[in-house]
Amino acid sequence: MQEGTLYRHILRDALKIVWRNKFLWVLGFLAVFWGDVGTYQSFNPAFGEFGPALSWPISAEDALPSSDSFTTGGLLTFLSLTLVVLAAIALFIVVVTVGRGGLIWAVAQTRERKAVTTRVSIRKGLAVFWPLFGISVLTRVDLVLYYFL
């Protein structure tokens, strides 16, 4: 093997697969949203400035009103909106994780020269939702430990 060509064939094959199967683009975009892009960005201050540090524009005290200013209707509205936001986040995580699983399966099938459709890819991604979700959660445990220990 020539020097500098270690990954060249992998990148060439990946480009061919994606170019010939444009439906994989949708699954790829979904996979990026729940991917590890920026996950470890908050470690930068601990290891020196390797990139831009994560900062929050407002604090929790500024974002939420004090509990004594809530009325019963206001509290129910706040709880309802909180549940809607949490449901939207859960739906987003499910869709993105299923997209990641479908992408993995579709690329594996395409490399074996088998026919692949978007619908079947999504079904296969749904079948492996819990293992992929567990892996995603486990890869983020270190962030929780970093902040709270």
Side-chain angles (χ1 to χ4, degrees):
M1 185 179 295
Q2 294 177 346
E3 184 178 334
T5 62
L6 183 62
Y7 295 105
R8 189 173 294 166
H9 68 284
I10 296 171
L11 293 174
R12 184 187 64 235
D13 291 347
L15 181 64
K16 284 180 186 177
I17 288 171
V18 170
W19 193 255
R20 291 179 186 151
N21 302 288
K22 295 197 177 17
F23 76 91
L24 293 175
W25 294 14
V26 175
L27 299 173
F29 285 126
L30 288 175
V32 166
F33 287 118
W34 182 240
D36 295 325
V37 177
T39 300
Y40 297 101
Q41 186 177 14
S42 57
F43 282 124
N44 289 345
F47 299 114
E49 289 298 324
F50 296 122
L54 180 67
S55 64
W56 296 99
I58 59 173
S59 66
E61 292 83 21
D62 296 334
L64 297 174
S66 64
S67 61
D68 57 347
S69 65
F70 278 117
T71 62
T72 304
L75 184 60
L76 289 175
T77 302
F78 176 74
L79 290 175
S80 299
L81 288 175
T82 302
L83 288 175
V84 168
V85 168
L86 289 176
I89 290 170
L91 179 65
F92 177 76
I93 289 172
V94 167
V95 168
V96 169
T97 304
V98 166
R100 179 183 276 186
L103 178 65
I104 293 168
W105 181 83
V107 169
Q109 295 299 306
T110 304
R111 285 193 51 112
E112 295 176 4
R113 310 260 192 268
K114 295 181 180 176
V116 180
T117 64
T118 306
R119 180 173 289 160
V120 174
S121 298
I122 290 172
R123 283 189 194 137
K124 295 294 184 175
L126 192 57
V128 295
F129 170 78
W130 288 111
L132 283 178
F133 180 72
I135 290 169
S136 295
V137 168
L138 286 176
T139 59
R140 287 159 176 81
V141 166
D142 57 350
L143 291 176
V144 174
L145 295 174
Y146 173 75
Y147 281 116
F148 295 110
L149 293 181

